[in-house]
């Protein structure tokens, strides 16, 4: 591929995210990445967690060549061919996963994608599986950094349906799907990595 997609932010945040994944995930498993984008994360995760099989996906297929490029650059063979997956549509999956990972999607998509992500994850996680999300969040009672305030204003100016989400609201959507926040990890550049798993007290069936 002559012009693979490249994200400087993904290059910077890959090492600290991978460090957390190596701590919280077992040695072996099967993972689904939602909104793979450039493919830099999944390539790096596959190299750093060689006992895992990784399924990249994205709502648009125009990044699939870039995903293949970065996996080839790293030299990993434990990444499957990417799937086109829009969290708002039926997920084209017939299996469960030990981990589902989603970075930097909730703030650049409509709020409805949060509930859809939680419901889809609950439907496709193995019983002991985890949903891991990464990105900026607003927290009640915690001062928001000037950088995140500016970023939020810029997002909302670009698209009124976008914006940095309140952590409490995200946790509430997870709870409605039967997932509970197990760990909140502060990350560089005022981001958070959140780890969800099935709640001991799931909500009643509708």
């Amino acid at each position: 591929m002559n012009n693979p997609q490249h994200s400087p932010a993904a290059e910077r945040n890959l090492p600290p995210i991978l460090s957390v994944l190596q701590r919280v995930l077992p040695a072996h498993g099967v993972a689904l990445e939602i909104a793979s984008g450039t493919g830099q994360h999944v390539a790096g995760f596959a190299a750093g967690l060689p006992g895992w099989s990784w399924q990249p996906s994205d709502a648009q297929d125009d990044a699939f060549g870039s995903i293949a490029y970065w996996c080839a650059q790293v030299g990993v063979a434990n990444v499957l061919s990417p799937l086109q997956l829009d969290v708002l549509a039926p997920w084209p999956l017939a299996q469960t996963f030990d981990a589902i990972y989603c970075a930097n999607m909730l703030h650049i998509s409509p709020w409805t994608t949060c509930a859809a992500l939680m419901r889809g994850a609950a439907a496709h996680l193995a019983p002991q599986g985890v949903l891991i999300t990464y990105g900026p969040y607003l927290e009640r009672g915690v001062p928001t950094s000037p950088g995140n305030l500016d970023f939020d204003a810029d997002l909302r100016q670009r698209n009124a349906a976008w914006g940095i989400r309140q952590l409490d609201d995200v946790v509430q959507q997870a709870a409605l799907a039967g997932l509970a926040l197990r760990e909140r990890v502060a990350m560089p550049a005022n981001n958070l990595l959140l780890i969800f798993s099935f709640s001991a007290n799931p909500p009643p069936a509708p």
Side-chain angles (χ1 to χ4, degrees), residues 44-76:
F45 297 162
L49 291 160
W52 281 71
S53 174
W54 293 85
Q55 175 63 73
S57 71
D58 204 275
Q60 307 296 328
D61 61 6
D62 57 359
F64 288 4
S66 183
I67 294 170
Y69 170 86
W70 288 111
C71 290
Q73 288 294 107
V74 177
V76 291

Side-chain angles (χ1 to χ4, degrees), residues 86-162:
D86 182 342
V87 297
L88 294 173
W91 291 23
L93 303 168
Q95 68 178 106
T96 59
F97 297 88
D98 302 298
I100 296 176
Y101 170 81
C102 180
N104 292 322
M105 182 190 79
L106 296 180
H107 59 279
I108 53 172
S109 58
W111 173 238
T112 50
T113 60
C114 182
L117 172 65
M118 299 304 174
R119 289 194 303 267
H124 294 285
L125 277 175
Q128 303 303 316
V130 292
L131 168 66
I132 301 170
T133 69
Y134 170 89
Y137 295 89
L138 303 175
E139 296 182 272
R140 293 182 176 89
V142 177
T144 303
S145 70
N148 274 358
L149 287 174
D150 291 343
F151 184 38
D152 182 56
D154 177 67
L155 288 170
R156 295 178 188 278
Q157 184 175 35
R158 289 157 57 190
N159 188 319
W162 294 1

Side-chain angles (χ1 to χ4, degrees), residues 191-205:
N191 290 297
L192 297 177
L193 188 145
L194 307 177
I195 302 170
F196 298 88
S197 63
F198 284 107
S199 172
N201 299 298

